[in-house]
Amino acid sequence: MSNLVVSGGAPLSGKVIPSGSKNSALPIIFATVLCRGVSVLYGVPDITDVRVSLEIISTLGASCTRIGEALYIDTSDMEYNRPPLSLVTRIRASSYLLGSCVGRFGRAHISAFGGCAFENRPIDMHISAAQRLGCTVWDDLVLASSLVGTDIRFDKASVGATVNTILLASRAKGRTRIFGYAREMHIMNLISFLRTAGAKITLTDGYIEIEGRTLTGGVCRIIPDMIEAGTYLSLSLATGSDISVVASGTELASFLAAMVDGGAVLTDSGGEIALSGSLSEPLRVTTAPHPGFPTDLQPQTAPVMARYSGGEIIENVWRSRFGYLDELSKFGVEYTLMGNRAVIMPSRLHSAVAVACDLRAGAALLIAALMAEGESVIKNAEVIDRGYERIIEKLRELGAKIERTE
Ligand code: UD1
């Protein structure tokens, strides 16, 4: 177990360049399994979830080599065997083994995935889409002698189910249309990658249309991580700092709009974004699938609310994603929780020892620790490394005093 020891209370300054997006890199890494040959991915972040994903596909015979900014994944000689549970249970993205392994080998095991456990994370939509495309499910084994394209209709937007269905449909005979698909930027990044591998995918406002094909190695650049960008912008506001982030205002639109509604001043100078000023109004955050406010950014807004006029978080994607509030209260953050609605009071923060219960919870605690004067300790800090590349180095470059202890 690793701890982060933080001496907080001082404003920070500098520019942050976000790494490649975790949520984009992981599905694309699993998609390379479908693409026989060498795929080249640029800008893949060096984070724990990526390392574990590469280990998983390596157990199936993929060969993964980083040279400079490029990650080469050679999937020419793979064969199916069940990846070790010790790896699969470490990350949520191992659920993409369903689409990638059934698409490539006609089989996959789907038991016990890992990742952040805010609540039970169902995969019924993934399974029913797979069954509609011709898969049979025996306990934890999914089998398909052939995949046949069809219409799939989702009645809610699911990133994971959309990814798995795109993967399966890319190898199915004939045409698949996916209605009610998730519209996150990382889904678009996956589609771009698969197109370079030979997939025929068209996108309309109503559905994604896919003609199954044989796929060969593809190429793509992983898009910048907007959740990381939003995390550093939240840190900037919460600590009254002068931090700018290289990011697209369009992709962060729902986050920036909420901050500006609360009274923050937005500066966007050609792709370099900063938020400043005091938030004179309570912040209001209501999470929803893209283009709504991302669930992965809501925990980081709670310390911002605490510093200024308080606020309200309504969580509509993971209704109980509030486990971090108890830990945040150790820093003095006052809140009340009613179902999927949390109200954060203006609070005076002090240093504390707290435990990161998941990745974004860890980011929220780190922000609180950097706000509070004195020395704070965040335990179980390795969960933060699952999604933030070089976080200690990046924070030190902004002037933060932070050490890791084991
Ligand atoms: C979700 C988030 C994603 C975030 C990730 C980790 C959305 C739409 N997705 O992705 O941005 O990065 O959590 O925090 O914001 N669901 C079912 N059955 C299924 C699959 C999902 O009922 O088979 C429900 C879930 O309970 C949840 C919603 O659909 O309420 C969205 O889940 P989904 O997008 O699939 O989850 P992730 O892919 O993990």
Side-chain angles (χ1 to χ4, degrees):
M1 202 194 248
S2 81
N3 299 329
L4 290 179
V5 182
V6 179
S7 295
L12 309 170
S13 67
K15 179 163 88 174
V16 176
I17 301 176
S19 303
S21 157
K22 159 184 168 291
N23 290 341
S24 194
L26 301 180
I28 292 174
I29 287 170
F30 282 97
T32 64
V33 172
L34 293 180
C35 310
R36 192 188 287 264
V38 180
S39 292
V40 190
L41 312 181
Y42 295 94
V44 175
D46 187 12
I47 51 177
T48 314
D49 276 25
V50 162
R51 290 182 192 180
V52 175
S53 300
L54 297 177
E55 269 188 71
I56 290 175
I57 64 169
S58 299
T59 66
L60 303 172
S63 144
C64 309
T65 315
R66 271 190 190 268
I67 301 178
E69 219 214 334
L71 171 64
Y72 294 82
I73 303 181
D74 185 349
T75 61
S76 308
D77 299 311
M78 295 183 79
E79 59 183 44
Y80 188 71
N81 48 65
R82 186 177 189 162
L85 276 181
S86 56
L87 289 174
V88 169
T89 52
R90 285 184 64 192
I91 57 167
R92 178 72 192 170
S94 50
S95 56
Y96 300 141
L97 285 167
L98 166 60
S100 57
C101 288
V102 173
R104 172 84 185 253
F105 311 108
R107 61 175 50 212
H109 286 86
I110 50 159
S111 55
F113 307 122
C116 298
F118 340 108
E119 58 188 70
N120 178 31
R121 296 173 72 175
I123 56 161
D124 55 299
M125 292 163 63
H126 309 224
I127 299 290
S128 62
Q131 286 171 322
R132 283 193 50 78
L133 288 163
C135 295
T136 312
V137 182
W138 298 91
D139 290 332
D140 60 356
L141 181 63
V142 182
L143 293 170
S145 50
S146 70
L147 292 163
V148 181
T150 186
D151 282 356
I152 308 281
R153 290 173 196 278
F154 292 129
D155 56 15
K156 67 172 115 167
S158 157
V159 170
T162 302
V163 168
N164 264 328
T165 309
I166 290 173
L167 298 182
L168 291 168
S170 297
R171 297 288 294 122
K173 288 196 189 84
R175 182 187 75 169
T176 299
R177 292 186 303 173
I178 309 171
F179 295 83
Y181 63 91
R183 288 157 197 262
E184 272 68 4
M185 291 306 300
H186 35 280
I187 299 281
M188 305 309 143
N189 207 184
L190 171 67
I191 290 174
S192 306
F193 166 73
L194 286 169
R195 281 178 177 151
T196 68
K200 184 154 185 269
I201 306 182
T202 44
L203 205 60
T204 74
D205 198 35
Y207 55 85
I208 302 173
E209 182 172 306
I210 303 177
E211 295 276 351
R213 289 272 192 279
T214 298
L215 304 178
T216 54
V219 183
C220 85
R221 173 166 290 281
I222 304 301
I223 56 174
D225 196 325
M226 287 302 120
I227 304 303
E228 186 189 9
T231 300
Y232 282 100
L233 289 169
S234 301
L235 170 68
S236 186
L237 279 175
T239 50
S241 297
D242 181 15
I243 301 171
S244 65
V245 177
V246 177
S248 147
T250 321
E251 283 156 32
L252 273 172
S254 55
F255 168 81
L256 295 175
M259 298 299 140
V260 169
D261 282 352
V265 178
L266 168 66
T267 318
D268 185 350
S269 41
E272 197 172 317
I273 293 177
L275 288 170
S276 57
S278 314
L279 277 65
S280 49
E281 298 292 323
L283 262 186
R284 293 190 194 288
V285 163
T286 302
T287 68
H290 188 79
F293 193 102
T295 175
D296 283 350
L297 270 178
Q298 69 90 342
Q300 299 89 315
T301 63
V304 181
M305 295 175 184
R307 177 182 171 112
Y308 296 103
S309 312
E312 174 192 67
I313 300 169
I314 299 176
E315 175 55 71
N316 286 324
V317 178
W318 302 113
R319 294 176 64 84
S320 33
R321 189 177 192 165
F322 289 112
Y324 68 90
L325 284 175
D326 251 2
E327 295 301 313
L328 217 43
S329 71
K330 295 178 179 165
F331 290 90
V333 174
E334 293 175 47
Y335 71 95
T336 51
L337 184 58
M338 294 144 285
N340 69 328
R341 175 170 173 260
V343 175
I344 314 292
M345 265 64 87
S347 319
R348 187 166 173 74
L349 269 63
H350 50 75
S351 58
V353 177
V355 181
C357 54
D358 64 56
L359 165 59
R360 310 301 171 187
L365 297 183
L366 197 43
I367 293 174
L370 288 161
M371 288 166 75
E373 271 180 35
E375 189 174 281
S376 295
V377 179
I378 298 168
K379 296 187 166 184
N380 199 32
E382 57 273 14
V383 295
I384 302 174
D385 304 320
R386 289 192 36 226
Y388 290 94
E389 188 179 47
R390 294 176 54 247
I391 187 146
I392 293 182
E393 291 82 349
K394 286 187 181 184
L395 287 170
R396 282 186 184 151
E397 283 159 21
L398 298 174
K401 295 197 178 94
I402 177 166
E403 300 284 341
R404 188 190 296 274
T405 62
E406 299 299 330

